[in-house]
Amino acid sequence: MKKLIHAFLVVMLVSIVLLVIISKLNSSHGYSSGNTVTIYNWGDYIDEELIERFEEETGTKVIYETFDSNEAMMTKIAQGGTTYDIAVPSEYMIDKMREEDLLIPLDHSKLPNLQYIDERFMDLPFDPSNKYSVPYFWGTVGIVYNPKLLEDMEISSWNDLWNPELKNQILLIDGAREVIGMGLNSLGYSLNDTNKDHLIEAKRKLDTLTPNVKAIVGDETRMLLANEEAAIGLVWSGDAADIMWENEDLDYVVPIEGSNLWFDNMVIPKTAKNIEAAHQFINFMLDPEIAAQNTEYVSYSTPNKEALNYMPEDMVTDERFYPSPELTEKLEVYENLGLKNLAYYNELFLEFKMHRK
Ligand code: SPD
């Protein structure tokens, strides 16, 4: 028995020594569970050099993961089992996450750089007083097109996409709200319509677009359009800006019937383990010079009005990506339509995708 106790004590001692060595090794690299921050963001939505800079400046290691839709992001966070300290949902999803008690209120005293955000992007209906969220990027949904491939075809309306000459030429965002929204807008209905007859009508109309749809894709859209493998894309404005930077022949238009104005904001989900570092990272991204560098890299529109002073003139005066308040007022922001309606949008979108096969 004595031998057994002795062996047990030796094993315990060795384990403790090993644990101390491992934790010392981790902290000598500057990392321990206390100084990591885990970020969950859209794909291609940050200049990775800034992640390194944040790590160097603060000694906090960044773990970075990406998602490609609001729905996928929310499902993962709601399921639990993750330790995201920051996520970047769009407006309607922020409202939904708040409703489902998935967000932690922000401590504004730790976000002094919030002063640089343009008032137009603060205190919006999906998050009054910015209790839970801080603006990251904003933009529109529209059509990027290649006039060279389209000869003289005019593209200014959603309905132009139904032209039979566009067979197999269109790429669509893999997003239920964007695609069903396009169907609704093309019929003159609101992007937040919940009338079942209107939604079915929009889905039927979308089914007739099928011959023109080459693919429903995510971040690959940019490469396919820039390489002229398709002539048209339903895209978020920042992707259009990026594609047009790669291929100057392309252009971007927000259709005459109207479209979506969206806001992606940083939030701290309930899954957060390092709330202090989350605030630090958010404040870092709000610094005007950092925000300017990130904007130039990502190509989306920044809500940081001070950052505009650090950016190239031609970028900030391009009305296609910094539309006037008069134009943005005519666009619609997605509303949180509630669980049942959002599920119905998803169901119709899935049926539309199946219809293509
Ligand atoms: N590649 C980054 C894409 C981010 C776009 N977010 C837009 C969401 C609009 N609801």
Side-chain angles (χ1 to χ4, degrees):
M1 186 64 180
K2 249 187 179 171
K3 271 190 181 162
L4 206 65
I5 293 176
H6 186 250
F8 176 74
L9 286 174
V10 170
V11 170
M12 284 290 284
L13 199 68
V14 170
S15 313
I16 290 170
V17 169
L18 279 175
L19 276 174
V20 170
I21 292 174
I22 289 170
S23 100
K24 280 257 174 322
L25 273 177
N26 275 340
S27 53
S28 71
H29 286 93
Y31 307 144
S32 73
S33 55
N35 69 349
T36 62
V37 62
T38 307
I39 298 167
Y40 199 30
N41 197 357
W42 295 81
D44 291 335
Y45 217 27
I46 198 164
D47 179 351
E48 294 195 4
E49 208 181 278
L50 292 173
I51 295 184
E52 281 167 31
R53 184 159 157 196
F54 177 79
E55 289 181 327
E56 274 160 26
E57 281 180 17
T58 60
T60 300
K61 181 181 165 51
V62 175
I63 299 170
Y64 193 79
E65 282 184 37
T66 61
F67 58 84
D68 55 16
S69 74
N70 278 301
E71 288 65 25
M73 179 271 313
M74 148 119 191
T75 309
K76 198 148 172 212
I77 288 179
Q79 270 167 356
T82 56
T83 56
Y84 299 124
D85 295 303
I86 296 177
V88 190
S90 308
E91 65 301 300
Y92 72 100
M93 198 46 89
I94 293 171
D95 193 33
K96 191 161 188 273
M97 290 175 87
R98 182 199 45 77
E99 216 172 73
E100 302 204 8
D101 197 24
L102 290 174
L103 300 178
I104 290 177
L106 301 174
D107 180 346
H108 284 213
S109 73
K110 296 187 171 143
L111 303 171
N113 290 336
L114 204 48
Q115 64 178 303
Y116 299 118
I117 298 293
D118 190 328
E119 275 176 19
R120 275 171 74 199
F121 302 104
M122 296 289 289
D123 196 22
L124 293 174
F126 59 87
D127 183 21
S129 312
N130 291 85
K131 186 169 176 193
Y132 297 99
S133 73
V134 159
Y136 185 60
F137 282 117
W138 67 282
T140 55
V141 169
I143 303 171
V144 66
Y145 63 101
N146 189 333
K148 207 174 80 187
L149 299 182
L150 295 171
E151 288 158 11
D152 282 330
M153 202 181 293
E154 200 206 331
I155 304 289
S156 58
S157 148
W158 289 119
N159 285 299
D160 292 332
L161 302 190
W162 271 261
N163 185 333
E165 283 177 41
L166 289 176
K167 192 162 188 299
N168 212 26
Q169 283 302 331
I170 300 177
L171 301 174
L172 297 180
I173 297 177
D174 194 2
R177 298 266 340 227
E178 284 78 8
V179 174
I180 301 294
M182 172 175 78
L184 288 167
N185 263 177
S186 75
L187 290 162
Y189 298 137
S190 158
L191 287 176
N192 295 307
D193 205 326
T194 52
N195 177 314
K196 275 210 163 176
D197 293 337
H198 293 174
L199 284 163
I200 290 169
E201 193 184 343
K203 149 75 171 65
R204 291 208 178 114
K205 180 158 180 193
L206 285 168
D207 286 342
T208 65
L209 184 69
T210 297
N212 289 359
V213 178
K214 185 181 179 81
I216 301 178
V217 270
D219 288 329
E220 310 89 293
T221 311
R222 298 206 298 256
M223 190 260 297
L224 293 170
L225 288 163
N227 291 347
E228 308 197 336
E229 288 178 51
I232 289 193
L234 166 71
V235 292
W236 293 303
S237 48
D239 281 352
D242 196 50
I243 298 162
M244 287 158 58
W245 189 82
E246 297 259 338
N247 184 334
E248 288 179 355
D249 288 327
L250 280 87
D251 206 351
Y252 176 73
V253 65
V254 175
I256 45 172
E257 297 89 341
S259 186
N260 168 232
L261 172 70
W262 55 263
F263 309 95
D264 286 344
N265 284 19
M266 295 180 271
V267 299
I268 303 186
K270 275 267 161 85
T271 51
K273 290 276 175 283
N274 196 346
I275 295 173
E276 188 60 34
H279 281 90
Q280 234 181 339
F281 187 85
I282 293 174
N283 197 49
F284 173 81
M285 294 310 293
L286 293 175
D287 174 276
E289 279 185 66
I290 303 286
Q293 178 177 334
N294 200 29
T295 307
E296 276 195 62
Y297 181 89
V298 171
S299 297
Y300 276 81
S301 313
T302 181
N304 190 313
K305 70 169 182 264
E306 191 59 27
L308 299 175
N309 297 324
Y310 296 93
M311 289 165 52
E313 174 87 11
D314 58 342
M315 198 167 177
V316 300
T317 53
D318 190 333
E319 290 233 341
R320 290 167 301 184
F321 306 113
Y322 287 90
S324 62
E326 293 74 54
L327 176 73
T328 53
E329 262 159 40
K330 290 192 198 129
L331 302 176
E332 276 184 289
V333 178
Y334 294 142
E335 286 164 18
N336 172 14
L337 303 177
L339 211 62
K340 260 169 78 187
N341 289 317
L342 285 177
Y344 193 53
Y345 268 65
N346 286 335
E347 186 185 318
L348 291 177
F349 182 50
L350 217 67
E351 278 174 24
F352 165 68
K353 292 210 263 189
M354 296 302 284
H355 183 266
R356 297 184 59 244
K357 301 210 165 120

